Amino acid sequence: MQTIISNWPAPENVLTVSTTRFGGVSSAPYDALNLGLHVGDDVSSVLTNRQLLKQHCWLTAEPAWLNQIHSPIVIDLTAPLTDVIDADGSFTREPGLACAIMTADCLPVLLCNKQGTEVAAVHAGWRGLAAGVIDNAIAKFTCLRLILWHGWDLQLAQQRLKLAVKCDNSLLMLTPVRLMHLLLMVISG
C-alpha cells in the first residue's frame, strides 16, 4: 500500500494519511485501492481494501466511513460508527478514532487544534462549502487557534491547466479518470 503523509504543522500525536490508488485488490476500472462502497466496485474487494488500510495505519477501530452527500453536516465521533451516516465531515476528541473523508474532485480539508486533542476532516464540495460545512466543522472546536490543511481541487487544477493551454496556443486533452483518495486523521493515544 502506498500512502502519503500530509505536509502540515500538525502536532506529532495527530496522524494524517492520504491514500493513493496503489496497493489494493479492486479490479479495473477501480484499480486497485478503491475504498468507496458507493461507486459500484465489488463489496468484498472494498472491504478487503479497508482492512488493508486499517492494518497499514495500525488503526484499532474502523475509520468513520461517511456517506458524503455534499452537505453542511459534520458529525461528532465519540465512538466507532456502527452505521454509515449521511455527512460531509467528522470531528473527534477521542484518541484512536479516525475521521475519514474521500475525495475525487472536491476539496479535502483537515483541521486540528494546536494541542492535537481535537481533529476534523471535511469533504468540501461546492454545495457543502456554500452551505457552511467548514464553518460547521470549526464550530465543533473549543479553541479557535486551529491548524488547517487543504488538499488539491481537481476542478480548479483543470481550469488552471486549460487557461495555461489557451495562453500557449497549444492543444491538450484532459482525460477524466476515476480518482478517489482517502484522508484520515487520528489522535494517537
Side-chain angles (χ1 to χ4, degrees):
M1 176 174 299
Q2 188 178 58
T3 55
I4 300 165
I5 305 300
S6 300
N7 184 17
W8 67 313
E12 287 185 16
N13 61 313
V14 175
L15 169 67
T16 306
V17 174
S18 180
T19 63
T20 68
R21 298 280 310 251
F22 304 107
V25 300
S26 293
S27 300
Y30 306 102
D31 325 304
L33 187 65
N34 174 43
L35 298 163
L37 287 170
H38 63 286
V39 295
D41 194 359
D42 176 63
V43 171
S44 64
S45 294
V46 174
L47 295 178
T48 299
N49 289 338
R50 288 180 175 190
Q51 187 61 35
L52 290 170
L53 175 72
K54 186 177 168 188
Q55 291 169 353
H56 179 79
C57 294
W58 299 81
L59 298 175
T60 56
E62 191 72 22
W65 301 107
L66 304 174
N67 181 37
Q68 298 169 180
I69 56 173
H70 298 93
S71 73
I73 301 168
V74 179
I75 63 165
D76 289 301
L77 290 177
T78 56
L81 295 179
T82 55
D83 293 314
V84 177
I85 295 176
D86 289 348
D88 283 274
S90 56
F91 168 87
T92 193
R93 293 182 181 96
E94 300 298 323
L97 292 184
C99 297
I101 55 167
M102 290 184 277
T103 63
D105 61 348
C106 293
L107 188 68
V109 177
L110 305 177
L111 302 148
C112 72
N113 64 1
K114 292 197 176 246
Q115 299 77 24
T117 57
E118 299 176 321
V119 299
V122 178
H123 168 256
W126 71 266
R127 284 185 186 99
L129 281 170
V133 69
I134 294 176
D135 294 336
N136 291 344
I138 290 171
K140 303 273 185 192
F141 287 84
T142 57
C143 172
L144 294 183
R145 292 184 52 108
L146 303 177
I147 303 167
L148 180 140
W149 177 89
H150 66 84
W152 54 276
D153 178 334
L154 181 61
Q155 290 177 348
L156 181 60
Q158 286 179 336
Q159 289 168 1
R160 287 183 179 167
L161 184 56
K162 287 176 187 175
L163 178 61
V165 168
K166 286 179 183 175
C167 293
D168 189 48
N169 290 324
S170 301
L171 177 63
L172 178 67
M173 180 68 87
L174 292 176
T175 306
V177 293
R178 289 182 178 264
L179 294 175
M180 184 65 71
H181 296 278
L182 169 85
L183 283 157
L184 59 90
M185 293 182 56
V186 182
I187 303 170
S188 60

